[in-house]
Amino acid sequence: MKILVINGPNLNMLGIREPGIYGSSTFADLLALLEQTGKEENLEIQQYQSNHEGDLVDKIQWAYGKIDGIVINPAAYTHTSVAILDALKAVRIPAVEVHISDVDAREAFRQISYAGMACEHTIKGHGLAGYREAILYLKAHYA
Ligand code: CA2
């Protein structure tokens, strides 16, 4: 099974600032977690991070016909991007939304998720472990 993990803007800065909200683990730690999960679960896991909305849309479109499941943390674009929502709807690849922090317990503007409207499951507030949970969800339902 091929899974694509997509991360949006500033997530490459993990561990550098705001450890109180996002924890002290770094983006490199996340990449190591994804690699380890792929090996343990016998999954082909690819990852992509961009700070640019259109690049994220391009990557979702690229996945069409090549990828069996998407794990996506659109970061700030979660709360603004109809373009990412439309791309996820267009490719119709099973998708799980992940948020490192518990967005429900934060500012009102973080309560809406456009991308989440095209995802069948959302994991929030579980830190980096949420990515592994999302991958296992896709494996359990689609492998
Ligand atoms: O909790 C999450 O995973 C978020 O998607 C993270 C986004 C935020 O805009 C969403 O509301 C919730 C922000 C990612 C930025 O990450 C930073 C990393 C280091 C320093 C500052 C921000």
Side-chain angles (χ1 to χ4, degrees):
M1 182 182 193
K2 293 182 187 173
I3 293 178
L4 174 63
V5 179
I6 299 177
N7 280 296
N10 298 308
L11 285 164
N12 55 319
M13 301 289 282
L14 275 177
I16 295 173
R17 297 238 173 141
E18 305 215 59
I21 298 174
Y22 302 116
S24 54
S25 297
T26 64
F27 189 65
D29 293 331
L30 173 58
L31 298 187
L33 172 79
L34 298 179
E35 195 175 331
Q36 185 191 346
T37 304
K39 281 185 188 149
E40 285 172 2
E41 301 295 329
N42 197 26
L43 298 165
E44 189 180 316
I45 298 178
Q46 303 184 31
Q47 73 82 30
Y48 180 75
Q49 189 275 331
S50 176
N51 296 324
H52 305 282
E53 184 177 16
D55 289 345
L56 295 166
V57 170
D58 284 345
K59 193 66 181 180
I60 293 165
Q61 290 187 9
W62 168 87
Y64 181 71
K66 300 187 187 79
I67 292 291
D68 306 304
I70 290 176
V71 172
I72 186 163
N73 182 348
Y77 290 137
T78 304
H79 319 297
T80 62
S81 180
V82 178
I84 291 173
L85 166 64
D86 286 346
L88 290 168
K89 280 186 166 177
V91 298
R92 299 185 64 167
I93 298 169
V96 177
E97 176 187 25
V98 172
H99 295 289
I100 296 167
S101 65
D102 181 5
V103 281
D104 292 341
R106 299 181 63 190
E107 301 96 325
F109 67 83
R110 296 186 203 272
Q111 311 297 312
I112 185 150
S113 169
Y114 291 101
M117 294 173 194
C119 293
E120 52 177 80
H121 188 52
T122 297
I123 296 163
K124 37 195 161 187
H126 294 185
L128 296 192
Y131 288 86
R132 183 181 161 81
E133 288 173 42
I135 290 164
L136 294 181
Y137 178 96
L138 287 171
K139 183 181 179 187
H141 290 81
Y142 296 101

